[in-house]
PDB file of all heavy atoms in Angstrom:
ATOM      1  N   GLN A   1      45.220 -55.411 -56.716  1.00 96.00           N
ATOM      2  CA  GLN A   1      44.826 -56.627 -57.439  1.00 96.00           C
ATOM      3  C   GLN A   1      45.121 -57.867 -56.599  1.00 96.00           C
ATOM      4  O   GLN A   1      44.284 -58.759 -56.480  1.00 96.00           O
ATOM      5  CB  GLN A   1      45.561 -56.697 -58.771  1.00 96.00           C
ATOM      6  CG  GLN A   1      45.205 -57.897 -59.616  1.00 96.00           C
ATOM      7  CD  GLN A   1      46.004 -57.946 -60.921  1.00 96.00           C
ATOM      8  OE1 GLN A   1      46.850 -57.098 -61.174  1.00 96.00           O
ATOM      9  NE2 GLN A   1      45.748 -58.945 -61.729  1.00 96.00           N
ATOM     10  N   LEU A   2      46.311 -57.940 -56.023  1.00 96.00           N
ATOM     11  CA  LEU A   2      46.672 -59.098 -55.214  1.00 96.00           C
ATOM     12  C   LEU A   2      45.801 -59.179 -53.969  1.00 96.00           C
ATOM     13  O   LEU A   2      45.400 -60.276 -53.567  1.00 96.00           O
ATOM     14  CB  LEU A   2      48.154 -59.050 -54.840  1.00 96.00           C
ATOM     15  CG  LEU A   2      48.686 -60.241 -54.043  1.00 96.00           C
ATOM     16  CD1 LEU A   2      48.428 -61.565 -54.758  1.00 96.00           C
ATOM     17  CD2 LEU A   2      50.170 -60.061 -53.750  1.00 96.00           C
ATOM     18  N   ALA A   3      45.486 -58.052 -53.372  1.00 96.00           N
ATOM     19  CA  ALA A   3      44.623 -58.048 -52.192  1.00 96.00           C
ATOM     20  C   ALA A   3      43.272 -58.671 -52.527  1.00 96.00           C
ATOM     21  O   ALA A   3      42.744 -59.495 -51.770  1.00 96.00           O
ATOM     22  CB  ALA A   3      44.452 -56.631 -51.666  1.00 96.00           C
ATOM     23  N   ARG A   4      42.698 -58.273 -53.666  1.00 96.00           N
ATOM     24  CA  ARG A   4      41.411 -58.848 -54.092  1.00 96.00           C
ATOM     25  C   ARG A   4      41.533 -60.350 -54.315  1.00 96.00           C
ATOM     26  O   ARG A   4      40.695 -61.127 -53.861  1.00 96.00           O
ATOM     27  CB  ARG A   4      40.924 -58.176 -55.376  1.00 96.00           C
ATOM     28  CG  ARG A   4      40.275 -56.833 -55.162  1.00 96.00           C
ATOM     29  CD  ARG A   4      39.563 -56.342 -56.426  1.00 96.00           C
ATOM     30  NE  ARG A   4      40.430 -56.298 -57.609  1.00 96.00           N
ATOM     31  CZ  ARG A   4      41.240 -55.298 -57.914  1.00 96.00           C
ATOM     32  NH1 ARG A   4      41.312 -54.233 -57.132  1.00 96.00           N
ATOM     33  NH2 ARG A   4      41.988 -55.343 -59.012  1.00 96.00           N
ATOM     34  N   GLN A   5      42.568 -60.774 -55.025  1.00 96.00           N
ATOM     35  CA  GLN A   5      42.746 -62.193 -55.337  1.00 96.00           C
ATOM     36  C   GLN A   5      42.977 -63.030 -54.079  1.00 96.00           C
ATOM     37  O   GLN A   5      42.515 -64.162 -54.000  1.00 96.00           O
ATOM     38  CB  GLN A   5      43.914 -62.389 -56.299  1.00 96.00           C
ATOM     39  CG  GLN A   5      43.651 -61.860 -57.687  1.00 96.00           C
ATOM     40  CD  GLN A   5      44.886 -61.917 -58.581  1.00 96.00           C
ATOM     41  OE1 GLN A   5      46.012 -62.075 -58.112  1.00 96.00           O
ATOM     42  NE2 GLN A   5      44.667 -61.788 -59.878  1.00 96.00           N
ATOM     43  N   ALA A   6      43.699 -62.462 -53.113  1.00 96.00           N
ATOM     44  CA  ALA A   6      44.036 -63.202 -51.902  1.00 96.00           C
ATOM     45  C   ALA A   6      42.958 -63.096 -50.824  1.00 96.00           C
ATOM     46  O   ALA A   6      42.964 -63.874 -49.870  1.00 96.00           O
ATOM     47  CB  ALA A   6      45.367 -62.691 -51.346  1.00 96.00           C
ATOM     48  N   GLY A   7      42.069 -62.125 -50.965  1.00 97.00           N
ATOM     49  CA  GLY A   7      41.039 -61.934 -49.946  1.00 97.00           C
ATOM     50  C   GLY A   7      41.589 -61.321 -48.673  1.00 97.00           C
ATOM     51  O   GLY A   7      41.140 -61.646 -47.568  1.00 97.00           O
ATOM     52  N   VAL A   8      42.588 -60.444 -48.834  1.00 96.00           N
ATOM     53  CA  VAL A   8      43.169 -59.734 -47.699  1.00 96.00           C
ATOM     54  C   VAL A   8      43.069 -58.235 -47.968  1.00 96.00           C
ATOM     55  O   VAL A   8      42.767 -57.813 -49.082  1.00 96.00           O
ATOM     56  CB  VAL A   8      44.651 -60.134 -47.454  1.00 96.00           C
ATOM     57  CG1 VAL A   8      44.771 -61.614 -47.153  1.00 96.00           C
ATOM     58  CG2 VAL A   8      45.541 -59.762 -48.622  1.00 96.00           C
ATOM     59  N   SER A   9      43.335 -57.438 -46.958  1.00 95.00           N
ATOM     60  CA  SER A   9      43.274 -55.991 -47.136  1.00 95.00           C
ATOM     61  C   SER A   9      44.541 -55.480 -47.807  1.00 95.00           C
ATOM     62  O   SER A   9      45.594 -56.134 -47.770  1.00 95.00           O
ATOM     63  CB  SER A   9      43.095 -55.299 -45.786  1.00 95.00           C
ATOM     64  OG  SER A   9      44.264 -55.452 -45.004  1.00 95.00           O
ATOM     65  N   ARG A  10      44.419 -54.324 -48.388  1.00 94.00           N
ATOM     66  CA  ARG A  10      45.605 -53.708 -49.005  1.00 94.00           C
ATOM     67  C   ARG A  10      46.626 -53.347 -47.935  1.00 94.00           C
ATOM     68  O   ARG A  10      47.833 -53.396 -48.181  1.00 94.00           O
ATOM     69  CB  ARG A  10      45.199 -52.470 -49.803  1.00 94.00           C
ATOM     70  CG  ARG A  10      46.351 -51.933 -50.629  1.00 94.00           C
ATOM     71  CD  ARG A  10      45.889 -51.030 -51.747  1.00 94.00           C
ATOM     72  NE  ARG A  10      47.053 -50.489 -52.409  1.00 94.00           N
ATOM     73  CZ  ARG A  10      47.594 -49.304 -52.091  1.00 94.00           C
ATOM     74  NH1 ARG A  10      47.073 -48.555 -51.168  1.00 94.00           N
ATOM     75  NH2 ARG A  10      48.661 -48.884 -52.736  1.00 94.00           N
ATOM     76  N   SER A  11      46.154 -53.014 -46.740  1.00 94.00           N
ATOM     77  CA  SER A  11      47.097 -52.691 -45.659  1.00 94.00           C
ATOM     78  C   SER A  11      47.934 -53.920 -45.281  1.00 94.00           C
ATOM     79  O   SER A  11      49.087 -53.779 -44.865  1.00 94.00           O
ATOM     80  CB  SER A  11      46.369 -52.131 -44.434  1.00 94.00           C
ATOM     81  OG  SER A  11      45.514 -53.094 -43.863  1.00 94.00           O
ATOM     82  N   THR A  12      47.376 -55.110 -45.443  1.00 92.00           N
ATOM     83  CA  THR A  12      48.165 -56.331 -45.211  1.00 92.00           C
ATOM     84  C   THR A  12      49.303 -56.407 -46.210  1.00 92.00           C
ATOM     85  O   THR A  12      50.440 -56.736 -45.850  1.00 92.00           O
ATOM     86  CB  THR A  12      47.273 -57.580 -45.322  1.00 92.00           C
ATOM     87  OG1 THR A  12      46.308 -57.554 -44.266  1.00 92.00           O
ATOM     88  CG2 THR A  12      48.082 -58.871 -45.231  1.00 92.00           C
ATOM     89  N   LEU A  13      49.030 -56.061 -47.452  1.00 91.00           N
ATOM     90  CA  LEU A  13      50.089 -56.084 -48.464  1.00 91.00           C
ATOM     91  C   LEU A  13      51.109 -54.974 -48.234  1.00 91.00           C
ATOM     92  O   LEU A  13      52.292 -55.148 -48.543  1.00 91.00           O
ATOM     93  CB  LEU A  13      49.488 -56.010 -49.860  1.00 91.00           C
ATOM     94  CG  LEU A  13      48.664 -57.251 -50.222  1.00 91.00           C
ATOM     95  CD1 LEU A  13      48.048 -57.111 -51.590  1.00 91.00           C
ATOM     96  CD2 LEU A  13      49.495 -58.513 -50.146  1.00 91.00           C
ATOM     97  N   THR A  14      50.676 -53.873 -47.680  1.00 92.00           N
ATOM     98  CA  THR A  14      51.620 -52.813 -47.311  1.00 92.00           C
ATOM     99  C   THR A  14      52.546 -53.312 -46.211  1.00 92.00           C
ATOM    100  O   THR A  14      53.751 -53.048 -46.236  1.00 92.00           O
ATOM    101  CB  THR A  14      50.869 -51.550 -46.861  1.00 92.00           C
ATOM    102  OG1 THR A  14      50.052 -51.094 -47.938  1.00 92.00           O
ATOM    103  CG2 THR A  14      51.829 -50.444 -46.451  1.00 92.00           C
ATOM    104  N   ARG A  15      51.990 -54.052 -45.264  1.00 88.00           N
ATOM    105  CA  ARG A  15      52.824 -54.638 -44.199  1.00 88.00           C
ATOM    106  C   ARG A  15      53.850 -55.604 -44.789  1.00 88.00           C
ATOM    107  O   ARG A  15      55.006 -55.630 -44.371  1.00 88.00           O
ATOM    108  CB  ARG A  15      51.963 -55.338 -43.149  1.00 88.00           C
ATOM    109  CG  ARG A  15      51.115 -54.392 -42.326  1.00 88.00           C
ATOM    110  CD  ARG A  15      50.316 -55.120 -41.260  1.00 88.00           C
ATOM    111  NE  ARG A  15      51.172 -55.824 -40.321  1.00 88.00           N
ATOM    112  CZ  ARG A  15      51.823 -55.263 -39.299  1.00 88.00           C
ATOM    113  NH1 ARG A  15      51.694 -53.964 -39.087  1.00 88.00           N
ATOM    114  NH2 ARG A  15      52.565 -55.983 -38.494  1.00 88.00           N
ATOM    115  N   ILE A  16      53.415 -56.388 -45.773  1.00 87.00           N
ATOM    116  CA  ILE A  16      54.343 -57.313 -46.440  1.00 87.00           C
ATOM    117  C   ILE A  16      55.457 -56.525 -47.115  1.00 87.00           C
ATOM    118  O   ILE A  16      56.637 -56.853 -46.975  1.00 87.00           O
ATOM    119  CB  ILE A  16      53.599 -58.197 -47.457  1.00 87.00           C
ATOM    120  CG1 ILE A  16      52.715 -59.211 -46.736  1.00 87.00           C
ATOM    121  CG2 ILE A  16      54.587 -58.920 -48.380  1.00 87.00           C
ATOM    122  CD1 ILE A  16      51.810 -60.009 -47.651  1.00 87.00           C
ATOM    123  N   ALA A  17      55.087 -55.477 -47.844  1.00 86.00           N
ATOM    124  CA  ALA A  17      56.081 -54.667 -48.558  1.00 86.00           C
ATOM    125  C   ALA A  17      57.091 -54.047 -47.605  1.00 86.00           C
ATOM    126  O   ALA A  17      58.257 -53.874 -47.954  1.00 86.00           O
ATOM    127  CB  ALA A  17      55.382 -53.576 -49.366  1.00 86.00           C
ATOM    128  N   ASP A  18      56.637 -53.728 -46.393  1.00 87.00           N
ATOM    129  CA  ASP A  18      57.516 -53.127 -45.389  1.00 87.00           C
ATOM    130  C   ASP A  18      58.292 -54.165 -44.590  1.00 87.00           C
ATOM    131  O   ASP A  18      59.060 -53.814 -43.692  1.00 87.00           O
ATOM    132  CB  ASP A  18      56.701 -52.254 -44.432  1.00 87.00           C
ATOM    133  CG  ASP A  18      56.105 -51.032 -45.109  1.00 87.00           C
ATOM    134  OD1 ASP A  18      56.616 -50.633 -46.182  1.00 87.00           O
ATOM    135  OD2 ASP A  18      55.127 -50.470 -44.574  1.00 87.00           O
ATOM    136  N   GLY A  19      58.052 -55.453 -44.882  1.00 82.00           N
ATOM    137  CA  GLY A  19      58.757 -56.510 -44.164  1.00 82.00           C
ATOM    138  C   GLY A  19      58.242 -56.735 -42.764  1.00 82.00           C
ATOM    139  O   GLY A  19      58.941 -57.303 -41.929  1.00 82.00           O
ATOM    140  N   LYS A  20      57.013 -56.310 -42.501  1.00 83.00           N
ATOM    141  CA  LYS A  20      56.424 -56.480 -41.169  1.00 83.00           C
ATOM    142  C   LYS A  20      55.651 -57.794 -41.128  1.00 83.00           C
ATOM    143  O   LYS A  20      55.240 -58.326 -42.151  1.00 83.00           O
ATOM    144  CB  LYS A  20      55.506 -55.308 -40.846  1.00 83.00           C
ATOM    145  CG  LYS A  20      56.255 -53.997 -40.755  1.00 83.00           C
ATOM    146  CD  LYS A  20      55.336 -52.867 -40.419  1.00 83.00           C
ATOM    147  CE  LYS A  20      56.131 -51.560 -40.345  1.00 83.00           C
ATOM    148  NZ  LYS A  20      55.251 -50.420 -40.141  1.00 83.00           N
ATOM    149  N   SER A  21      55.444 -58.290 -39.926  1.00 80.00           N
ATOM    150  CA  SER A  21      54.780 -59.580 -39.796  1.00 80.00           C
ATOM    151  C   SER A  21      53.289 -59.469 -40.100  1.00 80.00           C
ATOM    152  O   SER A  21      52.671 -58.415 -39.927  1.00 80.00           O
ATOM    153  CB  SER A  21      54.992 -60.157 -38.399  1.00 80.00           C
ATOM    154  OG  SER A  21      54.382 -59.342 -37.431  1.00 80.00           O
ATOM    155  N   ILE A  22      52.738 -60.576 -40.572  1.00 86.00           N
ATOM    156  CA  ILE A  22      51.306 -60.693 -40.847  1.00 86.00           C
ATOM    157  C   ILE A  22      50.862 -62.051 -40.304  1.00 86.00           C
ATOM    158  O   ILE A  22      51.690 -62.877 -39.919  1.00 86.00           O
ATOM    159  CB  ILE A  22      50.999 -60.592 -42.356  1.00 86.00           C
ATOM    160  CG1 ILE A  22      51.744 -61.661 -43.150  1.00 86.00           C
ATOM    161  CG2 ILE A  22      51.334 -59.201 -42.888  1.00 86.00           C
ATOM    162  CD1 ILE A  22      51.325 -61.772 -44.602  1.00 86.00           C
ATOM    163  N   SER A  23      49.563 -62.287 -40.288  1.00 91.00           N
ATOM    164  CA  SER A  23      49.071 -63.567 -39.786  1.00 91.00           C
ATOM    165  C   SER A  23      49.438 -64.693 -40.751  1.00 91.00           C
ATOM    166  O   SER A  23      49.637 -64.468 -41.959  1.00 91.00           O
ATOM    167  CB  SER A  23      47.555 -63.528 -39.598  1.00 91.00           C
ATOM    168  OG  SER A  23      46.901 -63.541 -40.851  1.00 91.00           O
ATOM    169  N   LEU A  24      49.513 -65.891 -40.228  1.00 91.00           N
ATOM    170  CA  LEU A  24      49.811 -67.048 -41.059  1.00 91.00           C
ATOM    171  C   LEU A  24      48.727 -67.239 -42.111  1.00 91.00           C
ATOM    172  O   LEU A  24      49.020 -67.556 -43.264  1.00 91.00           O
ATOM    173  CB  LEU A  24      49.960 -68.305 -40.200  1.00 91.00           C
ATOM    174  CG  LEU A  24      50.270 -69.604 -40.953  1.00 91.00           C
ATOM    175  CD1 LEU A  24      51.561 -69.470 -41.755  1.00 91.00           C
ATOM    176  CD2 LEU A  24      50.345 -70.765 -39.989  1.00 91.00           C
ATOM    177  N   ASP A  25      47.471 -67.010 -41.738  1.00 95.00           N
ATOM    178  CA  ASP A  25      46.371 -67.131 -42.688  1.00 95.00           C
ATOM    179  C   ASP A  25      46.564 -66.179 -43.864  1.00 95.00           C
ATOM    180  O   ASP A  25      46.430 -66.586 -45.020  1.00 95.00           O
ATOM    181  CB  ASP A  25      45.035 -66.853 -41.992  1.00 95.00           C
ATOM    182  CG  ASP A  25      43.863 -66.972 -42.942  1.00 95.00           C
ATOM    183  OD1 ASP A  25      43.626 -68.085 -43.468  1.00 95.00           O
ATOM    184  OD2 ASP A  25      43.186 -65.948 -43.175  1.00 95.00           O
ATOM    185  N   SER A  26      46.888 -64.937 -43.588  1.00 93.00           N
ATOM    186  CA  SER A  26      47.120 -63.960 -44.661  1.00 93.00           C
ATOM    187  C   SER A  26      48.316 -64.358 -45.512  1.00 93.00           C
ATOM    188  O   SER A  26      48.288 -64.236 -46.740  1.00 93.00           O
ATOM    189  CB  SER A  26      47.333 -62.557 -44.083  1.00 93.00           C
ATOM    190  OG  SER A  26      46.168 -62.099 -43.455  1.00 93.00           O
ATOM    191  N   PHE A  27      49.357 -64.831 -44.865  1.00 91.00           N
ATOM    192  CA  PHE A  27      50.557 -65.261 -45.584  1.00 91.00           C
ATOM    193  C   PHE A  27      50.214 -66.366 -46.574  1.00 91.00           C
ATOM    194  O   PHE A  27      50.585 -66.313 -47.735  1.00 91.00           O
ATOM    195  CB  PHE A  27      51.614 -65.736 -44.570  1.00 91.00           C
ATOM    196  CG  PHE A  27      52.952 -66.047 -45.163  1.00 91.00           C
ATOM    197  CD1 PHE A  27      53.843 -65.041 -45.479  1.00 91.00           C
ATOM    198  CD2 PHE A  27      53.328 -67.354 -45.410  1.00 91.00           C
ATOM    199  CE1 PHE A  27      55.090 -65.326 -46.029  1.00 91.00           C
ATOM    200  CE2 PHE A  27      54.565 -67.654 -45.956  1.00 91.00           C
ATOM    201  CZ  PHE A  27      55.445 -66.629 -46.273  1.00 91.00           C
ATOM    202  N   VAL A  28      49.462 -67.363 -46.123  1.00 95.00           N
ATOM    203  CA  VAL A  28      49.075 -68.483 -46.991  1.00 95.00           C
ATOM    204  C   VAL A  28      48.173 -68.009 -48.116  1.00 95.00           C
ATOM    205  O   VAL A  28      48.315 -68.425 -49.269  1.00 95.00           O
ATOM    206  CB  VAL A  28      48.406 -69.599 -46.154  1.00 95.00           C
ATOM    207  CG1 VAL A  28      47.785 -70.674 -47.049  1.00 95.00           C
ATOM    208  CG2 VAL A  28      49.412 -70.236 -45.204  1.00 95.00           C
ATOM    209  N   ARG A  29      47.242 -67.105 -47.832  1.00 95.00           N
ATOM    210  CA  ARG A  29      46.358 -66.570 -48.867  1.00 95.00           C
ATOM    211  C   ARG A  29      47.150 -65.869 -49.979  1.00 95.00           C
ATOM    212  O   ARG A  29      46.862 -66.026 -51.166  1.00 95.00           O
ATOM    213  CB  ARG A  29      45.357 -65.589 -48.268  1.00 95.00           C
ATOM    214  CG  ARG A  29      44.277 -66.237 -47.455  1.00 95.00           C
ATOM    215  CD  ARG A  29      43.462 -65.157 -46.748  1.00 95.00           C
ATOM    216  NE  ARG A  29      42.430 -65.701 -45.934  1.00 95.00           N
ATOM    217  CZ  ARG A  29      41.132 -65.655 -46.224  1.00 95.00           C
ATOM    218  NH1 ARG A  29      40.734 -65.053 -47.327  1.00 95.00           N
ATOM    219  NH2 ARG A  29      40.257 -66.185 -45.419  1.00 95.00           N
ATOM    220  N   VAL A  30      48.149 -65.094 -49.571  1.00 95.00           N
ATOM    221  CA  VAL A  30      48.964 -64.360 -50.550  1.00 95.00           C
ATOM    222  C   VAL A  30      49.803 -65.345 -51.370  1.00 95.00           C
ATOM    223  O   VAL A  30      49.917 -65.210 -52.589  1.00 95.00           O
ATOM    224  CB  VAL A  30      49.838 -63.293 -49.853  1.00 95.00           C
ATOM    225  CG1 VAL A  30      50.840 -62.689 -50.815  1.00 95.00           C
ATOM    226  CG2 VAL A  30      48.953 -62.224 -49.233  1.00 95.00           C
ATOM    227  N   ILE A  31      50.380 -66.336 -50.701  1.00 95.00           N
ATOM    228  CA  ILE A  31      51.157 -67.347 -51.419  1.00 95.00           C
ATOM    229  C   ILE A  31      50.300 -68.033 -52.472  1.00 95.00           C
ATOM    230  O   ILE A  31      50.722 -68.197 -53.625  1.00 95.00           O
ATOM    231  CB  ILE A  31      51.719 -68.397 -50.433  1.00 95.00           C
ATOM    232  CG1 ILE A  31      52.863 -67.811 -49.617  1.00 95.00           C
ATOM    233  CG2 ILE A  31      52.210 -69.636 -51.170  1.00 95.00           C
ATOM    234  CD1 ILE A  31      53.346 -68.725 -48.516  1.00 95.00           C
ATOM    235  N   LYS A  32      49.096 -68.416 -52.093  1.00 96.00           N
ATOM    236  CA  LYS A  32      48.192 -69.085 -53.042  1.00 96.00           C
ATOM    237  C   LYS A  32      47.826 -68.159 -54.202  1.00 96.00           C
ATOM    238  O   LYS A  32      47.822 -68.581 -55.349  1.00 96.00           O
ATOM    239  CB  LYS A  32      46.947 -69.567 -52.309  1.00 96.00           C
ATOM    240  CG  LYS A  32      47.206 -70.771 -51.410  1.00 96.00           C
ATOM    241  CD  LYS A  32      45.991 -71.165 -50.598  1.00 96.00           C
ATOM    242  CE  LYS A  32      44.867 -71.650 -51.492  1.00 96.00           C
ATOM    243  NZ  LYS A  32      43.706 -72.144 -50.732  1.00 96.00           N
ATOM    244  N   ALA A  33      47.532 -66.901 -53.891  1.00 96.00           N
ATOM    245  CA  ALA A  33      47.162 -65.949 -54.931  1.00 96.00           C
ATOM    246  C   ALA A  33      48.306 -65.697 -55.912  1.00 96.00           C
ATOM    247  O   ALA A  33      48.077 -65.424 -57.077  1.00 96.00           O
ATOM    248  CB  ALA A  33      46.689 -64.640 -54.305  1.00 96.00           C
TER     249      ALA A  33
END
């Protein structure tokens, strides 16, 4: 659900859950979502 709302892939959210780095653009998209 968050991936759809943020316009990022689910694998990006998996990286977040694992504490791995992501792009600043993806980070901002998730924060906004």
Side-chain angles (χ1 to χ4, degrees):
Q1 181 182 2
L2 183 56
R4 281 191 305 276
Q5 291 173 344
V8 299
S9 68
R10 189 161 176 266
S11 65
T12 295
L13 294 178
T14 300
R15 292 182 60 79
I16 289 173
D18 293 339
K20 296 181 180 175
S21 64
I22 58 171
S23 72
L24 180 58
D25 180 63
S26 295
F27 187 79
V28 171
R29 287 172 181 253
V30 171
I31 287 173
K32 287 175 65 175

